[in-house]
């Protein structure tokens, strides 16, 4: 076959295949046109998943009579000229959407321009456009599409079930509604009750919109983001690390109000949550990035889902720093409220049957020694001699805490806290509420610290909390190149399979920067000569094998980017802090408990351990009293 120029009809159908993937794509294109036209109210109606009717109505400025027919021509647009191809400030600009829709459906376009007294309309089918005729029309534009894909029956067969198409249309509407919280959206599918996303026209419009489309629970467990860097502005809401999802659900990112699904942006958010989330969990977020139009190319994808940045490294850095700064600024030591809700919900009031069984049991001795895993009051005598450890005040001396904290942290020396004396008589008295995590009262099951404030009770996992504290300190020391190490009196030999040994040796320099000095020792072993000061010698073999496993996971043999190096470093430091922290099963004195709480308050990100598990849970006094049926 000789070379020939394709007809306009075929060209439009090809373009339709790129732009119009499914009915939801049409909704996106038409709503974006309405937004660019300045609409404040947008209504969407869908029948039979868009096969029969798909209609979008807006109250924008409208299209003039002379432009109606032209609007349906290919590459006709009012949003682009010869000079601003690389500085796009509108949502729709390619001039392909309406022409592509006309190629695969029957279309009616009616509009009343804000300067006109009369509405006008045109109809089109298979690229043929009728003459303009008058209609009764309020200001704005209405596009009604019928018999979708009638001219391309193969495309019609590829449409999914009505339920799937309806879900896609709903999600597309939500994507657009989030980006425009000051605009009213109405979506009606068949004859079902409409979905109304109404604006509140105030400073809380975005917050209110997110309550509508995600949940109030998300807002209650989210951290606001509002960071400016150079000519970039990032804002929105991100979930607390302890409030996450099993799937990447409710993740919205907008560049200049345009919803995008870009790997660079997704990777930036992932890096911002680095070492705060369990590996199998995903954050929930809505983030906006505003920057000059000439610094982002939105003309790289037919459906405009992907973008290209002039300086991608700066964008990623901005995202990571914005998230970390927002977590730092957030309310001191927050964890998601669903943790405490789940705890309260797991309690069950005894039924009458159980109550009868309980009442028939013989009385248990009141001796404290009969209660398993109970830390007896003798551990709090230092407090009870001068004040009530379970009462309104507690004693706390910063210098004593500092010494105790070092004793708890230094697992090598394992300093005995019994030798520390009670705070002097003139120690300043402080109330529970002077500290975000309150005052420690007791330890249960040799791992959980019970703390209290006037309005809540707090349960702290001592191992998870101390693990995070050490990890954050190690990261700070690593950045300063100041990790304190000590040379082993007797170097440790660790046997490994040859492949693992080779993998470890390839990371000798990174390990050295993390405070671990190793050398090869034969073909299937390494020798450890130096370790961070806080690390216990008895766990060296386990530590090295855990690090090998982390390196295999990171797969960082060849480093293509600094990010891969940092991920490996974080994994190594995380393992060191895990093995060096206070272990479950270690009985702590109250002074030690309070020292641990004060350290948690002084360091960032201590609401989750290195593996993303929560370090503490708050139970409000109100919920506790409700459970006990107190008014």
């Amino acid at each position: 076959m000789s070379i020939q120029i394709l007809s306009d009809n075929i060209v439009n159908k090809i373009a339709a295949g790129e732009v119009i993937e499914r009915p939801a794509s049409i909704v996106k294109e038409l709503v974006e046109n309405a937004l660019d036209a300045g609409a404040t109210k947008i209504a969407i109606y869908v029948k039979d998943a868009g096969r029969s009717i798909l209609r979008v109505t807006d109250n924008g400025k409208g299209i003039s009579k002379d432009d109606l027919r032209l609007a349906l021509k290919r590459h006709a647009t009012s949003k682009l000229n010869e000079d601003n191809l690389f500085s796009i400030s509108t949502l729709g600009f390619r001039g392909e959407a309406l022409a592509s829709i006309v190629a695969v459906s029957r279309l009616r376009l009616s509009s009343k321009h804000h300067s006109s007294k009369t509405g006008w309309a045109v109809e089109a089918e298979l690229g043929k456009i009728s003459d303009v005729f008058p209609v009764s029309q309020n200001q704005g534009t209405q596009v009604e599409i019928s018999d979708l894909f009638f001219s391309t029956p193969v495309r019609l067969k590829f449409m999914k079930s009505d339920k799937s198409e309806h879900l896609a249309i709903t999600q597309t509407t939500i994507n657009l509604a989030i980006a425009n919280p000051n605009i009213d959206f109405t979506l009606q599918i068949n004859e079902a009750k409409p979905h109304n996303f109404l604006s509140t026209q105030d400073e809380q419009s975005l917050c209110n919109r997110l309550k509508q489309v995600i949940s109030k629970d998300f807002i209650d467990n989210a951290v606001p983001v509002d960071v400016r860097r150079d000519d970039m502005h990032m804002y929105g809401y991100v979930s607390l690390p302890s409030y996450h999802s099993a799937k990447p659900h409710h993740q919205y990112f907008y560049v200049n109000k345009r919803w995008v699904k870009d790997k660079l942006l997704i990777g930036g958010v992932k890096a911002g949550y680095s070492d705060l989330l369990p590996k199998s969990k995903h954050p929930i977020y809505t983030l906006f990035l505003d920057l000059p139009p000439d610094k982002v190319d939105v003309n790289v994808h037919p459906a405009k889902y992907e973008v290209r940045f002039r300086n991608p490294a700066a964008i990623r850095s901005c995202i990571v720093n914005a998230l970390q700064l927002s977590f730092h600024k957030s309310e001191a030591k927050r964890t998601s409220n669903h943790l405490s809700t789940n705890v309260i919900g797991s309690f069950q009031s005894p039924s009458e049957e159980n109550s009868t069984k309980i009442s028939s049991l013989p009385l248990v001795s009141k001796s404290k020694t009969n209660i398993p895993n109970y830390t007896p009051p003798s551990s709090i005598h230092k407090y009870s001699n001068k004040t009530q450890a379970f009462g309104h005040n507690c004693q706390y001396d910063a210098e004593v805490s500092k010494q105790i904290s070092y004793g708890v942290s230094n697992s090598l020396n394992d300093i005995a806290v019994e030798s520390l004396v009670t705070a002097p008589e003139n120690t300043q008295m402080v109330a529970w509420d002077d500290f975000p995590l309150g005052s420690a009262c007791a330890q249960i099951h040799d791992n959980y610290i019970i703390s209290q404030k006037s309005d809540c009770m707090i349960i702290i996992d001592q191992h998870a909390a101390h693990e995070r504290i050490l990890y954050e300190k190690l990261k700070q020391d690593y950045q300063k190149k100041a990790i304190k190490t000590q040379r082993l009196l007797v170097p440790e030999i660790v046997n490994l399979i040859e492949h693992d040994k080779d993998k470890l040796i390839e990371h000798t320099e990174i390990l050295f920067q993390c405070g671990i000095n190793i050398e090869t020792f034969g073909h299937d072993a390494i020798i450890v000569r130096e370790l961070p000061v806080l690390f216990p010698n008895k766990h060296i073999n386990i530590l090295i094998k855990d690090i090998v496993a982390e390196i295999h996971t990171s797969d960082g043999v060849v480093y293509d980017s600094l990010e891969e190096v940092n991920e490996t470093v974080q994994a190594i430091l995380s393992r060191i802090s895990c093995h060096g922290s206070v272990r479950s099963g270690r009985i702590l004195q109250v002074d030690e408990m309070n020292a641990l709480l004060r350290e948690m308050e002084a360091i960032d990100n201590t609401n989750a351990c290195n593996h993303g598990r929560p370090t503490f849970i708050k139970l409000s006094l109100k919920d506790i009293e409700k459970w006990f049926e107190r008014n």
Side-chain angles (χ1 to χ4, degrees):
M1 181 182 293
S2 60
I3 297 175
Q4 57 184 317
I5 298 176
L6 298 175
S7 67
D8 289 343
N9 186 35
I10 294 297
V11 170
N12 286 338
K13 287 183 179 180
I14 293 172
E18 296 177 337
V19 178
I20 311 302
E21 299 176 12
R22 60 196 307 185
S25 305
I26 297 177
V27 171
K28 176 180 180 293
E29 296 290 346
L30 297 183
V31 172
E32 286 181 345
N33 283 343
L35 293 169
D36 284 339
T40 59
K41 296 181 183 295
I42 299 174
I44 305 164
Y45 174 71
V46 178
K47 184 177 182 180
D48 299 331
R51 296 180 182 88
S52 298
I53 297 176
L54 198 161
R55 183 170 59 236
V56 175
T57 307
D58 69 68
N59 66 343
K61 64 182 180 181
I63 305 173
S64 67
K65 174 184 176 182
D66 295 337
D67 285 341
L68 275 178
R69 297 186 80 253
L70 189 60
L72 301 182
K73 297 289 186 178
R74 191 159 184 249
H75 295 162
T77 178
S78 62
K79 307 169 186 179
L80 184 66
N81 57 45
E82 299 279 342
D83 300 325
N84 67 344
L85 180 60
F86 300 103
S87 184
I88 306 298
S89 58
T90 59
L91 295 173
F93 63 93
R94 295 172 69 104
E96 291 180 309
L98 290 176
S100 298
I101 294 169
V102 168
V104 295
S105 68
R106 296 182 174 91
L107 180 145
R108 176 187 171 104
L109 171 63
S110 57
S111 185
K112 179 183 178 183
H113 193 262
H114 63 87
S115 63
S116 176
K117 296 181 179 180
T118 307
W120 299 90
V122 293
E123 294 180 345
E125 179 180 329
L126 295 177
K128 297 180 181 180
I129 305 171
S130 72
D131 292 333
V132 178
F133 56 90
V135 292
S136 176
Q137 171 85 24
N138 293 325
Q139 180 181 318
T141 302
Q142 183 179 95
V143 182
E144 181 172 299
I145 295 151
S146 59
D147 296 331
L148 181 61
F149 297 138
F150 85 97
S151 64
T152 53
V154 175
R155 294 285 306 280
L156 192 62
K157 291 179 181 179
F158 274 87
M159 282 186 63
K160 297 183 179 180
S161 66
D162 285 7
K163 182 178 180 181
S164 295
E165 298 297 349
H166 291 159
L167 287 173
I169 290 170
T170 301
Q171 187 60 62
T172 297
T173 304
I174 287 174
N175 293 346
L176 293 161
I178 290 175
N180 301 276
N182 294 317
I183 295 174
D184 293 339
F185 287 82
T186 300
L187 170 63
Q188 184 171 4
I189 297 176
N190 295 327
E191 305 309 317
K193 183 180 179 181
H195 298 278
N196 293 311
F197 305 112
L198 303 180
S199 67
T200 53
Q201 303 295 332
D202 58 24
E203 293 181 356
Q204 296 298 315
S205 58
L206 175 59
C207 181
N208 293 330
R209 180 58 53 85
L210 294 179
K211 289 179 182 178
Q212 293 173 347
V213 301
I214 300 181
S215 69
K216 180 179 181 297
D217 194 41
F218 165 66
I219 293 298
D220 291 341
N221 293 282
V223 175
V225 177
D226 191 357
V227 175
R228 294 181 183 273
R229 174 189 283 188
D230 299 328
D231 50 6
M232 295 183 290
H233 181 203
M234 176 161 287
Y235 59 98
Y237 292 88
V238 295
S239 63
L240 290 165
S242 54
Y243 185 85
H244 44 63
S245 174
K247 296 182 179 180
H249 188 47
H250 289 311
Q251 296 182 343
Y252 303 98
F253 210 118
Y254 298 85
V255 177
N256 291 348
K257 302 294 178 65
R258 184 193 302 275
W259 179 80
V260 295
K261 193 172 184 179
D262 189 273
K263 292 181 180 179
L264 172 69
L265 304 178
I266 294 172
V269 175
K270 180 181 177 181
Y273 276 94
S274 177
D275 65 43
L276 295 176
L277 279 177
K279 291 184 179 180
S280 60
K281 301 301 181 181
H282 303 271
I284 299 172
Y285 57 85
T286 297
L287 287 171
F288 295 83
L289 176 62
D290 291 347
L291 71 166
D294 61 347
K295 292 194 174 182
V296 55
D297 184 0
V298 297
N299 195 24
V300 296
H301 191 279
K304 304 185 286 287
Y305 291 134
E306 298 177 6
V307 295
R308 183 180 294 119
F309 297 99
R310 179 181 294 181
N311 189 346
I315 298 297
R316 187 182 186 282
S317 175
C318 179
I319 296 171
V320 174
N321 291 339
L323 264 61
Q324 293 178 347
L325 181 61
S326 298
F327 290 139
H328 176 72
K329 287 183 176 180
S330 65
E331 180 183 338
K333 309 310 165 196
R334 286 179 62 195
T335 55
S336 64
N337 60 16
H338 82 285
L339 293 175
S340 57
T341 301
N342 290 343
V343 171
I344 292 292
S346 67
F347 292 152
Q348 296 180 359
S349 299
S351 63
E352 292 183 3
E353 179 183 0
N354 289 336
S355 297
T356 302
K357 291 179 180 179
I358 292 173
S359 63
S360 64
L361 293 174
L363 291 176
V364 179
S365 169
K366 295 183 180 180
S367 171
K368 294 287 194 268
T369 59
N370 289 338
I371 302 177
N373 298 313
Y374 174 80
T375 302
S378 61
S379 65
I380 58 172
H381 282 343
K382 294 178 182 178
Y383 281 90
S384 58
N385 287 341
K386 301 178 178 64
T387 186
Q388 295 179 354
F390 293 89
H392 183 67
N393 291 320
C394 67
Q395 291 182 339
Y396 174 72
D397 181 79
E399 186 59 33
V400 171
S401 173
K402 183 177 179 182
Q403 298 174 35
I404 295 170
S405 173
Y406 176 75
V408 173
S409 302
N410 195 326
S411 301
L412 279 174
N413 299 326
D414 200 15
I415 296 175
V417 296
E418 294 296 333
S419 62
L420 295 172
V421 297
T422 308
E425 293 291 339
N426 61 354
T427 298
Q428 183 180 2
M429 305 294 287
V430 292
W432 297 334
D433 291 340
D434 286 347
F435 303 113
L437 293 178
S439 174
C441 308
Q443 179 190 38
I444 60 173
H445 295 288
D446 298 343
N447 185 58
Y448 301 101
I449 298 170
I450 304 298
S451 178
Q452 62 180 340
K453 298 182 68 172
S454 61
D455 61 348
C456 67
M457 178 178 77
I458 306 169
I459 305 173
I460 301 98
D461 183 327
Q462 68 186 40
H463 171 66
H466 196 232
E467 180 181 5
R468 169 58 74 169
I469 290 170
L470 297 187
Y471 179 50
E472 292 297 328
K473 288 182 176 179
L474 277 172
K475 285 199 299 184
Q476 292 174 10
D477 290 344
Y478 174 83
Q479 292 170 357
K480 299 175 183 177
K481 298 183 178 180
I483 292 181
K484 295 179 180 179
T485 62
Q486 85 168 5
R487 198 162 186 84
L488 300 181
L489 205 57
V490 179
E492 181 87 3
I493 297 173
V494 180
N495 294 312
L496 300 165
I497 62 174
E498 187 173 358
H499 174 67
D500 288 348
K501 186 214 72 171
D502 292 342
K503 179 81 73 172
L504 199 63
I505 292 300
E506 289 174 357
H507 292 75
T508 300
E509 184 177 349
I510 290 179
L511 288 168
F512 184 76
Q513 293 170 358
C514 294
I516 302 175
N517 187 358
I518 67 169
E519 297 175 7
T520 187
F521 193 80
H523 72 280
D524 59 355
I526 58 103
I527 186 167
V528 182
R529 299 191 180 279
E530 199 170 354
L531 285 172
V533 169
L534 62 85
F535 190 80
N537 288 355
K538 59 184 178 180
H539 295 150
I540 295 177
N541 194 284
I542 298 175
L543 170 68
I544 295 300
K545 291 181 178 179
D546 282 350
I547 289 175
V548 170
E550 290 289 356
I551 291 174
H552 278 300
T553 301
S554 301
D555 195 24
V557 178
V558 179
Y559 297 114
D560 295 326
S561 68
L562 182 61
E563 177 183 349
E564 294 177 3
V565 176
N566 288 339
E567 286 181 356
T568 304
V569 169
Q570 289 174 356
I572 294 171
L573 296 181
S574 177
R575 285 297 183 180
I576 296 172
S577 59
C578 181
H579 288 290
S581 59
V582 173
R583 310 305 296 178
S584 300
R586 173 171 173 174
I587 297 176
L588 300 179
Q589 303 297 307
V590 170
D591 287 341
E592 291 181 283
M593 299 179 208
N594 276 309
L596 189 63
L597 300 188
R598 301 298 79 83
E599 285 203 72
M600 288 178 67
E601 294 161 350
I603 292 179
D604 292 341
N605 303 322
T606 48
N607 53 6
C609 77
N610 311 349
H611 314 293
R613 296 190 298 269
T615 56
F616 68 90
I617 296 173
K618 284 186 179 181
L619 303 177
S620 73
L621 184 59
K622 182 179 179 181
D623 285 339
I624 296 173
E625 290 182 336
K626 182 178 179 181
W627 185 67
F628 282 102
E629 300 181 4
R630 288 179 174 270
N631 295 326

